[in-house]
């Protein structure tokens, strides 16, 4: 079974630029999560989708972050404009409803 | 109230030794407590999990001990091996809400010396 796919794996941008990350969940997983993992910290949930609807986006900085999950499969997370403090690994995870979360390898973002 | 506090931040153990990582929580609504293992460049992977109706769960060399009254749980790795060197995260989930999101601890970087 293929795992959660994410791209790109690494991204370096200047502050105030925009960036987008892509996630392809495990086939059949209705729930998709985006996490931010700052170096030395545990993952922090940014947004949770069930199919193409948002379940929880309470910790998403909505002035600069946006996410969508069109057709309830792939998802993109966008940051516009990026700040230095956005440097982190962005993890995507997916699960069956209420089931174990499976994580992708993440995208390491460096904002200069 | 949503925090999960994890200690120690880093741990060095000799091969064959016992590694112990501790976590504490405040939210009594948490009802699922998983541990994740993360290798460099990889996403976290579920290692073992426990629900509060049992005090201990063992899977191979990995054991979770759970103390509901103290609101603490710990991971014990017996006969630690160099291949166990990774970052370990405890987490907790409140399954009553629609979101059922995980709250993670800050992580413990384990190094097992050969």
């Amino acid at each position: 079974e293929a795992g959660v796919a994410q791209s790109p794996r690494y991204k370096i941008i200047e502050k105030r630029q925009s960036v987008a990350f892509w996630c392809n969940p495990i086939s059949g997983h209705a729930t998709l999560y985006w996490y931010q993992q700052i170096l030395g910290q545990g993952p922090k949930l940014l947004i949770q989708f069930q199919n193409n609807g948002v379940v929880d986006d309470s910790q998403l900085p909505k002035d600069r972050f946006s996410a969508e999950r069109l057709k309830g499969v792939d998802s993109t997370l966008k940051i516009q404009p990026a700040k230095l403090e956005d440097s982190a690994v962005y993890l995507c995870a997916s699960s069956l409803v209420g089931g174990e979360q499976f994580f992708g390898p993440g995208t390491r973002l460096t904002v200069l | 109230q949503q925090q999960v506090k994890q200690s120690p931040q880093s741990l060095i153990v000799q091969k064959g030794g016992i590694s112990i990582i501790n976590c504490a929580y405040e939210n009594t609504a948490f009802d699922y407590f998983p541990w994740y293992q993360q290798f460099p460049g990889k996403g976290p992977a579920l290692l073992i999990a426990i629900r509060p109706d049992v005090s201990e769960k063992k899977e191979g060399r990995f054991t979770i001990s759970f103390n509901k009254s103290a609101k603490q749980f710990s991971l014990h790795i017996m006969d630690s091996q160099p291949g166990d060197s990774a970052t370990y995260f405890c987490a907790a989930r409140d399954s009553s809400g629609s979101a059922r999101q995980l709250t993670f601890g800050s992580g413990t970087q384990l190094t097992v010396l050969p």
Side-chain angles (χ1 to χ4, degrees), chain B residues 24-65:
Chain B
Y25 64 97
E26 292 292 327
N27 187 351
T28 55
F30 287 148
D31 59 358
Y32 175 70
F33 302 88
W35 284 89
Y36 286 82
Q37 180 187 55
Q38 186 176 28
F39 292 103
K42 306 289 187 182
L46 180 65
L47 188 62
I48 186 173
I50 196 169
R51 297 193 183 274
D53 51 347
V54 296
S55 60
E56 185 175 284
K57 182 174 182 180
K58 184 176 181 179
E59 289 183 2
R61 297 184 294 107
F62 301 90
T63 300
I64 300 178
S65 297

